Structure formats: C-alpha cells, structure tokens
Amino acid sequence: MKQYTTPEQTAKLIELGFEKPKNALPIREENKALVYQLRYTIGELLSFLPKSIKVNNCYFTLTIIAKFDNWSVKYVDMSYGSQAYVYDVELIDALFTEILHFKEEGVI
C-alpha cells in the first residue's frame, strides 16, 4: 500500500492552497546525494476531508471501504445513498481524487 502522495500530487495540492506537507522523505537518487521530497501521508489527506457534508438538509458521512482490490472513498447517508464516490487501487490515490473533487466544488 502506498503511504505517500506522488511529487505531482503533492505539487497539485500545494498549488490548490493546502498547507505544505509535514513529511519530507529522504530519497537517494542514483549516484547523487540524499535529497528530501515533501509528500503528504494518508493521515494528512484525511485531515483535508470533512467528516460529514450537508447537502439539501441531509448529512453525508465520510466512509472508506476496502472492496476486493480497490478502496472506496465516499460520503454516505443511509436514506439517500452516496455522494461523490471514488474507487482506486491505492487508498491515497482515492483520497487525493476525492479532495480534488471537493476543492473544485468549493466544499473544502
């Protein structure tokens, strides 16, 4: 399981105005000195998503489910179903996509 965002994902989130990551991963490039790259963790991405959202007087709760080979990240209300669901092989990629969706919608 991937634990950190890619450099491209990290750059996109910083560009969108999110606080810079707290983690700098040491990476040794071939025949070069050790460099540190900023990367978000799964926990940091979770902190960007609201635990619930209100849509038309209904509260949808953040729900993360492991389904076979995929992770599902969505907001669920037992009466009305799901809102803005994402599936991906990697949890961190599904969280990243959900954050982009809600940032574009102005929810976060």
Side-chain angles (χ1 to χ4, degrees):
M1 174 188 288
K2 285 175 39 180
Q3 301 284 322
Y4 304 96
T5 54
T6 65
E8 296 78 20
Q9 290 171 329
T10 301
K12 181 66 175 175
L13 292 172
I14 293 170
E15 174 189 317
L16 291 172
F18 289 97
E19 182 181 324
K20 287 187 177 181
K22 295 177 176 74
N23 295 292
L25 295 178
I27 298 173
R28 185 174 304 280
E29 295 181 0
E30 191 174 322
N31 298 323
K32 293 186 180 181
L34 193 64
V35 295
Y36 291 88
Q37 292 183 340
L38 291 175
R39 303 267 180 104
Y40 291 101
T41 64
I42 291 171
E44 286 175 297
L45 294 188
L46 283 170
S47 74
F48 296 153
L49 289 168
K51 291 179 183 169
S52 65
I53 57 173
K54 184 178 178 183
V55 178
N56 298 329
N57 293 325
C58 294
Y59 286 93
F60 292 80
T61 304
L62 177 62
T63 306
I64 299 170
I65 301 170
K67 286 188 165 187
F68 303 105
D69 292 339
N70 289 304
W71 288 92
S72 166
V73 177
K74 58 187 171 182
Y75 284 83
V76 176
D77 177 90
M78 297 310 272
S79 302
Y80 295 97
S82 301
Q83 291 285 322
Y85 57 89
V86 175
Y87 294 99
D88 206 302
V89 172
E90 296 290 346
L91 175 57
I92 200 154
D93 294 336
L95 292 168
F96 172 78
T97 303
E98 191 80 329
I99 289 167
L100 290 184
H101 170 79
F102 280 113
K103 188 68 170 177
E104 289 171 1
E105 295 290 320
V107 175
I108 56 175

